[in-house]
């Protein structure tokens, strides 16, 4: 059936006008995959002549990437007789991409498909651009968060060394009162900066529950990085490390989160060591069912778990009021949030003047 065919009665004439004047793309296609009839809007939108549209299979006008899904939808249409709101891309004669939204009905007896399409190219291009901008904004926001977190995290290492150096200074040996005052102010400023950075890190972790970059990380690598970051503190307190990661050498996790877990638990073990006893920190890993466990044990002053109760991992909680120990009650809060935010658990056992053990169970994840 071609456009030059004439309708004989009045109803046919009205339908012909409707077909010819419609702003939507209308066509009749055969079950053989060829156009049989197209209206002027179809020709104007795609830029091909009627003869060109009839000469090749319909699939050859469709963008290559959409041909498979179009074929599948067409096969379903021929079985179910109806298809609505299907979008695919056609290639204009000049190479431009045209997005069409189809509604079609198949007539088995006549072996033809009647179809109407709307040109939704402008809407789709706006949608694609919007999604591109949202993706760019999301990546920028993600980079900024990573920069903020990394900067604060990296600053904590030299700050820990500065605090350790301050502890080594013998204020009583400084004879010049002005120099002693400057050193005292420098120490106070360092402590305040450390507290501010720790607080900012805690706020970001609390708010940020977006998907993180999860990669496979070796426990040995994280431990070495942590030891390098606080080497002055380790040297001063003569810390002994006993490690065994042979059973479970790695875990898929957030690098920043895992680094913070190591840093906070290890610095706590050093900070809360028993007087006159060199800190011994045992770190091991093992498989637990389908999950991985990381165990930290120390020989420090311990925690009164009965007294601490449910406040153990809450913000600004201190369970040893000794003025000699500079604790802000942030470290365990950060560790708890790092672990639980990714579906893990953390258990604690402790005995006063014997030591503390943390068992962290990581929920096994696939690398993103």
């Amino acid at each position: 059936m071609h456009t030059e065919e004439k309708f004989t009665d009045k109803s046919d004439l009205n339908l012909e006008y409707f077909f010819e004047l419609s702003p939507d793309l209308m066509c009749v296609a055969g079950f053989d995959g060829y156009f049989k009839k197209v209206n002027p809007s179809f020709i104007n939108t795609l830029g091909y002549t009627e003869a060109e549209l009839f000469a090749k299979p319909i699939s050859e006008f469709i963008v290559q990437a959409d041909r498979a899904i179009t074929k599948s939808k067409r096969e379903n249409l021929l079985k179910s007789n109806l298809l609505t709101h299907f979008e695919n891309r056609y290639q204009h004669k000049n190479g431009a991409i045209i997005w069409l939204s189809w509604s079609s009905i198949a007539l088995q007896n006549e072996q033809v498909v009647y179809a109407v399409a709307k040109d939704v190219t402008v809407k789709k291009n706006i949608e694609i651009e919007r999604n591109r901008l949202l993706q760019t904004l999301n990546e920028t926001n993600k980079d900024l968060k990573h920069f903020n977190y990394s900067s604060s995290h990296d600053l904590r290492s030299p700050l820990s060394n500065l605090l350790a150096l301050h502890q080594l200074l013998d204020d009583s040996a400084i004879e010049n009162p002005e120099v002693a005052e400057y050193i005292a102010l420098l120490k106070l400023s360092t402590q305040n900066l450390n507290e501010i950075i720790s607080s900012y890190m805690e706020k970001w972790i609390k708010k940020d529950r977006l998907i993180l970059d999860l990669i496979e990380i070796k426990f040995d690598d994280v431990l070495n990085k942590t030891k390098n970051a606080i080497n002055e503190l380790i040297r001063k307190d003569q810390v002994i490390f006993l490690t065994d990661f042979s059973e479970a050498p790695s875990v898929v996790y957030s690098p920043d989160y895992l680094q913070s877990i190591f840093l906070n638990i290890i610095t706590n073990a050093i900070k809360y060591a028993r007087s006159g006893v060199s800190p011994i920190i045992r770190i091991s890993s093992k498989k637990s069912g389908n999950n991985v466990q990381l165990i930290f044990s120390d020989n420090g002053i311990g925690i009164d778990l009965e007294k601490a109760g449910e406040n153990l991992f809450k913000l600004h909680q201190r369970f040893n009021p000794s003025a000699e120990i500079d604790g802000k009650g942030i470290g365990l809060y950060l560790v708890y949030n790092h672990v639980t935010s990714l579906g893990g658990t953390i258990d604690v056992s402790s005995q006063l003047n014997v030591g503390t053990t943390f068992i962290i169970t990581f929920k096994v994840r696939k690398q993103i």
Side-chain angles (χ1 to χ4, degrees), residues 62-71 86-90 99:
I62 299 171
V63 171
Q64 181 72 41
D66 289 355
R67 290 181 184 177
I69 184 64
T70 302
K71 179 181 178 182
F86 169 62
E87 295 180 350
N88 65 356
R89 291 168 292 179
Y90 276 65
W99 279 92

Side-chain angles (χ1 to χ4, degrees), residues 43-195:
I43 294 170
N44 294 334
T45 300
L46 295 183
Y48 300 96
T49 65
E50 185 180 71
E52 289 172 327
L53 289 170
F54 291 161
K56 295 188 295 185
I58 296 173
S59 61
E60 293 193 23
F61 298 101
I62 299 171
V63 171
Q64 181 72 41
D66 289 355
R67 290 181 184 177
I69 184 64
T70 302
K71 179 181 178 182
S72 174
K73 292 291 184 179
R74 181 176 178 275
E75 290 173 352
N76 289 336
L77 168 65
L78 298 184
K79 296 175 184 176
S80 62
N81 300 331
L82 187 65
L83 175 67
T84 59
H85 306 299
F86 169 62
E87 295 180 350
N88 65 356
R89 291 168 292 179
Y90 276 65
Q91 190 158 5
H92 191 281
K93 189 174 182 178
N94 64 12
I97 302 301
I98 306 297
W99 279 92
L100 298 178
S101 178
W102 293 93
S103 294
S104 309
I105 185 169
L107 302 182
Q108 297 290 340
N109 292 337
E110 299 180 27
Q111 294 284 288
V112 294
V113 174
Y114 289 88
V116 179
K118 290 185 178 295
D119 183 354
V120 292
T121 305
V122 173
K123 184 191 77 171
K124 293 296 293 188
N125 286 341
I126 292 174
E127 182 181 320
I128 292 170
E129 179 65 15
R130 181 197 64 191
N131 291 339
R132 187 189 68 79
L133 290 173
L134 285 174
Q135 179 66 22
T136 301
L137 181 61
N138 181 60
E139 291 297 325
T140 301
N141 188 46
K142 182 179 177 181
D143 289 343
L144 285 172
K145 287 181 179 180
H146 179 73
F147 174 77
N148 286 336
Y149 186 89
S150 297
S151 298
S152 297
H153 181 274
D154 292 344
L155 281 172
R156 291 194 68 195
S157 299
L159 278 173
S160 296
N161 284 333
L162 279 174
L163 290 170
L165 288 171
H166 282 308
Q167 292 176 6
L168 292 174
L169 287 175
D170 184 2
D171 296 345
S172 62
I174 302 174
E175 297 181 358
N176 189 319
E178 187 174 2
V179 173
E181 182 181 357
Y182 288 154
I183 290 177
L185 289 173
L186 181 60
K187 181 178 181 180
L188 179 62
S189 297
T190 304
Q191 291 171 339
N192 288 340
L193 181 58
N194 185 55
E195 182 176 356

Side-chain angles (χ1 to χ4, degrees), residues 241-259:
F241 287 91
L242 302 174
T243 63
D244 181 7
F245 302 126
S246 58
E247 184 175 338
S250 64
V251 69
V252 174
Y253 213 66
S254 161
D256 291 331
Y257 278 18
L258 193 58
Q259 180 71 41

